[in-house]
Amino acid sequence: MPETAHKGTGRVTAFSMFGPVFGYASSLVDEQQIAYVGPVTPGVQWSKLWQMAARCCRGSAQEREHAQWIVTQATRAFVMRADLVAQLPDADWYMDRYTEGGGCRIDVGGWSNHDALITGNMTVPDLTPEQVSMKHTYYPGYFEDD
């Protein structure tokens, strides 16, 4: 397993978005509510999440707005069960070290009850290979696998 910068045990929401499956966990760290979002589909890198956000936001949107869009998609899956793959009430999760090319941290200013978003490649051992596999999408153009 790669070196991890972030890990936890708790509620994990797995949801599909334009094909890949992403994991979402939330945790209170140093009095800040942090959203952790990252791909759990093998071979999909965290940068694809940001690419999708850039394609779905207005052309002049900056990084913070992209981060808010990502948080919105994750909370939408949790609250509305939209594109929900699995809701795990008590699961271990790990995220690759974001400071060494494995993701990034962005302040989202209290967006959707979160202070910051951390993205990176996520591992959730309790998810099955079927759950993390690519899903059908009507909009493959938002995720173009290179």
Side-chain angles (χ1 to χ4, degrees), residues 61-76:
Q62 300 298 309
E63 190 174 61
R64 184 176 191 180
E65 192 170 335
H66 294 169
Q68 291 171 337
W69 181 87
I70 292 168
V71 170
T72 298
Q73 302 316 303
T75 56
R76 178 180 69 92

Side-chain angles (χ1 to χ4, degrees), residues 106-122:
I106 304 294
D107 175 15
V108 294
W111 187 262
S112 191
N113 297 317
H114 290 88
D115 298 298
L117 165 69
I118 294 178
T119 60
N121 296 331
M122 187 177 271

Side-chain angles (χ1 to χ4, degrees), residues 13-29:
T13 301
F15 62 99
S16 66
M17 187 167 55
F18 307 127
V21 177
F22 295 89
Y24 160 57
S26 183
S27 184
L28 188 63
V29 178

Side-chain angles (χ1 to χ4, degrees), residues 49-127:
L49 182 59
W50 289 93
Q51 184 182 65
M52 286 185 225
R55 289 178 178 164
C56 291
C57 289
R58 60 191 169 87
S60 61
Q62 300 298 309
E63 190 174 61
R64 184 176 191 180
E65 192 170 335
H66 294 169
Q68 291 171 337
W69 181 87
I70 292 168
V71 170
T72 298
Q73 302 316 303
T75 56
R76 178 180 69 92
F78 170 68
V79 173
M80 303 301 297
R81 300 175 100 47
D83 300 310
L84 185 68
V85 172
Q87 186 78 270
L88 306 173
D90 191 33
D92 292 332
W93 59 269
Y94 310 92
M95 186 170 281
D96 291 0
R97 182 171 294 284
Y98 74 92
T99 57
E100 295 175 7
C104 65
R105 177 190 170 118
I106 304 294
D107 175 15
V108 294
W111 187 262
S112 191
N113 297 317
H114 290 88
D115 298 298
L117 165 69
I118 294 178
T119 60
N121 296 331
M122 187 177 271
T123 300
V124 182
D126 288 348
L127 291 173

